Amino acid sequence: MKTLLRNLVSRSPRLKGLLQRGLRFMLPGRGVSNHYVEMAGEEVGRESVRLRSAWKDDGLPVRQRELVDQQLAAYRRGDAVDVFDVMVKCLQGLRDGVGKMRVLEVGCSSGYYSEVFEIAGLDLDYSGCDYSDAFIAMARQRYPREHFDVQDATLLGYADKTFDVVISGCCLLHIPEYEAAVAETARVAGRYAVFHRTPVVLGQPSKHYRKQAYGVETVETHFNEPQFLQLLADNGLQLQATLTLDESVVHGLGSATRTYVCRKNSP
Ligand SMILES: C[S@@+](CC[C@H](N)C(=O)[O-])C[C@H]1O[C@@H](n2cnc3c(N)ncnc32)[C@H](O)[C@@H]1O
């Protein structure tokens, strides 16, 4: 049985990624995300406000980095890491050969995607921002050659179209005012916006959860997909590609994690 499973996993990087992520999500107290509780009604607004700053917890960067360092080591060895592979594939598809692309990652945590891009050989002009002082302090210490700012995704301090590509780095789900964050991403993007690792639900309204992330209580929204795509369109973002990290649909109801690549409409 063990050999059969090992053979199956080695033949399917996708299955390997799913299992790796599934195990991390399930390990009590040690995984990235666990103890999900679905919220409804007034609780959603109340808890979103109470936990808005949860990711600013000073203990989070070290705990997140423990897992990230393992993923980066695997990636450096040449192993497939699905979330990294998807992001790299997106950026490779956007290069047009005209100079270095200016890329901003919003919600960059400790800036580890700059290392992913370096390992993948992507020559980019990378900047990262995050609303957590602790994450940005770690990012500056780890990657002194890159540029990092403490910024809230809902009110970015950059001029319109400062960057060729803006990556919304798996942070919308944690932001109660996610519409404002999408608008800001679109505003500072000159050409493309990428909404990485976005959890969506299919055939059902958006879902709201309280959960533990690295042992810290946070909230998480899984967006109704058509409504999310409409929000992108309303902000002048034209969907160009969708990359699916995982998906499960039964009788029209389901969920997925996707990376959406959008081209910004010309003014
Ligand atoms: C799940 S981590 C994503 C890290 C990385 N970008 C990735 O894709 O793996 C979410 C990040 O979003 C940041 N974040 C949450 N709310 C934010 C906000 N309002 N403005 C900026 N960053 C925020 C958190 O501090 C955290 O570093």
Side-chain angles (χ1 to χ4, degrees):
M1 181 70 189
K2 257 190 195 168
T3 318
L4 179 68
L5 193 61
R6 202 176 303 125
N7 285 345
L8 270 175
V9 168
S10 66
R11 272 190 232 140
S12 165
R14 183 164 161 70
L15 179 61
K16 188 177 172 186
L18 273 175
L19 279 174
Q20 281 171 341
R21 264 181 302 138
L23 286 175
R24 264 192 282 122
F25 277 75
M26 284 184 297
L27 287 173
R30 220 183 125 54
V32 176
S33 293
N34 46 42
H35 299 109
Y36 277 83
V37 177
E38 190 170 352
M39 301 188 291
E42 287 175 5
E43 193 187 10
V44 176
R46 195 178 59 239
E47 289 296 83
S48 298
V49 170
R50 181 174 74 83
L51 298 171
R52 191 189 190 284
S53 301
W55 280 87
K56 293 185 183 179
D57 184 291
D58 284 348
L60 266 171
V62 169
R63 268 173 266 152
Q64 188 196 61
R65 197 65 212 199
E66 240 183 72
L67 281 168
V68 164
D69 280 339
Q70 290 172 28
Q71 285 181 305
L72 286 169
Y75 195 58
R76 219 172 254 289
R77 283 197 303 270
D79 291 355
V81 177
D82 60 356
V83 288
F84 295 169
D85 293 335
V86 158
M87 193 63 244
V88 166
K89 195 171 162 193
C90 284
L91 290 186
Q92 279 169 338
L94 301 182
R95 278 197 301 186
D96 56 10
V98 186
K100 274 192 190 185
M101 282 197 303
R102 291 161 305 159
V103 174
L104 172 71
E105 183 187 7
V106 181
C108 68
S109 292
S110 59
Y112 51 88
Y113 269 86
S114 65
E115 189 168 337
V116 170
F117 300 147
E118 175 259 304
I119 296 169
L122 286 175
D123 191 19
L124 306 167
D125 182 356
Y126 172 94
S127 300
C129 69
D130 200 286
Y131 80 160
S132 155
D133 290 317
F135 266 124
I136 291 301
M138 181 183 271
R140 286 177 178 148
Q141 187 237 322
R142 290 275 178 150
Y143 307 108
R145 283 187 304 184
E146 310 296 354
H147 182 88
F148 295 101
D149 293 306
V150 176
Q151 295 269 334
D152 194 298
T154 61
L155 196 63
L156 296 172
Y158 306 108
D160 297 359
K161 302 184 191 172
T162 300
F163 303 94
D164 297 308
V165 182
V166 179
I167 300 165
S168 181
C170 187
C171 61
L172 285 185
L173 66 164
H174 304 301
I175 303 177
E177 317 85 358
Y178 61 86
E179 289 103 334
V182 170
E184 281 295 84
T185 296
R187 182 183 67 76
V188 303
R191 293 159 60 207
Y192 299 102
V194 178
F195 296 88
H196 189 33
R197 289 170 61 197
T198 310
V200 291
V201 289
L202 315 166
Q204 50 194 323
S206 296
K207 286 178 175 274
H208 306 274
Y209 299 94
R210 188 174 48 233
K211 66 158 195 181
Q212 301 262 326
Y214 304 96
V216 172
E217 204 177 23
T218 61
V219 290
E220 185 171 305
T221 302
H222 295 197
F223 304 98
N224 168 274
E225 190 175 46
Q227 283 174 2
F228 183 71
L229 296 179
Q230 186 59 50
L231 177 64
L232 302 186
D234 291 347
N235 282 281
L237 298 172
Q238 196 185 331
L239 188 62
Q240 187 164 299
T242 305
L243 291 91
T244 297
L245 284 148
D246 56 67
E247 179 174 33
S248 125
V249 187
V250 179
H251 301 308
L253 291 186
S255 59
T257 309
R258 306 203 210 276
T259 294
Y260 300 96
V261 183
C262 304
R263 178 190 281 277
K264 191 167 164 176
N265 292 338
S266 336

